[in-house]
Amino acid sequence: MDPLADVLVQLERGELGNPEAVLAYLAGGAVDLADSELNEARRRALLLVAAGGDPHRELGVDDRAVKALAADLWSEGRRDELAAGLDSLALQARELPLVRETVINLARDLDLAWRLYALALVAEELGDVD
């Protein structure tokens, strides 16, 4: 089994936490981001996390740092790339009803999907995502 298929099966079983954030992160693999731009935007987001108190607190899609990162990285083209990544995941998850439905819901609300992607990028930087 390929690693992505394994992750999708684990999501279907409820073994990986918030499936929306994981799926947005996976779909974000289709987003073209220069490392330097991503690193700078994440540094700014981490400053907001630190200014907000405990850097180990649980972040959400409406957290100031997450919204700032989402805004820093947003463009129509990148949003379209995220949508394409979600479409690809929907095809790969066609035999996994819970995952497929979650992906379809994210594709219906690309603004939420973009913020979830930003949340995952912040979490990755904080060391919460492998």
Side-chain angles (χ1 to χ4, degrees):
M1 184 179 282
D2 75 69
L4 178 58
D6 188 44
V7 169
L8 295 177
V9 168
Q10 289 178 43
L11 283 170
E12 183 72 16
R13 293 181 191 147
E15 297 173 356
L16 294 179
N18 180 347
E20 289 179 324
V22 173
L23 290 166
Y25 181 76
L26 292 172
V31 176
D32 184 26
L33 287 173
D35 287 342
S36 60
E37 182 182 5
L38 175 59
N39 291 337
E40 288 176 29
R42 280 205 272 209
R43 268 194 292 277
R44 288 188 296 273
L46 290 180
L47 289 173
L48 291 173
V49 170
D54 179 9
H56 300 291
R57 73 186 185 282
E58 187 170 329
L59 299 176
V61 293
D62 292 322
D63 189 276
R64 190 170 145 212
V66 172
K67 288 195 224 180
L69 181 63
D72 277 354
L73 298 177
W74 188 90
S75 74
E76 281 288 331
R78 288 179 178 157
R79 191 187 73 149
D80 292 346
E81 291 169 345
L82 183 66
L86 289 168
D87 288 347
S88 176
L89 286 175
L91 288 173
Q92 292 174 349
R94 64 185 170 271
E95 302 298 322
L96 304 168
L98 296 174
V99 171
R100 185 184 67 245
E101 186 63 29
T102 303
V103 171
I104 289 169
N105 287 336
L106 287 172
R108 287 183 187 137
D109 189 348
L110 287 177
D111 290 334
L112 174 62
W114 187 257
R115 287 193 329 271
L116 283 163
Y117 175 52
L119 172 64
L121 291 174
V122 172
E124 179 182 49
E125 187 67 15
L126 289 170
D128 294 338
V129 174
D130 292 326

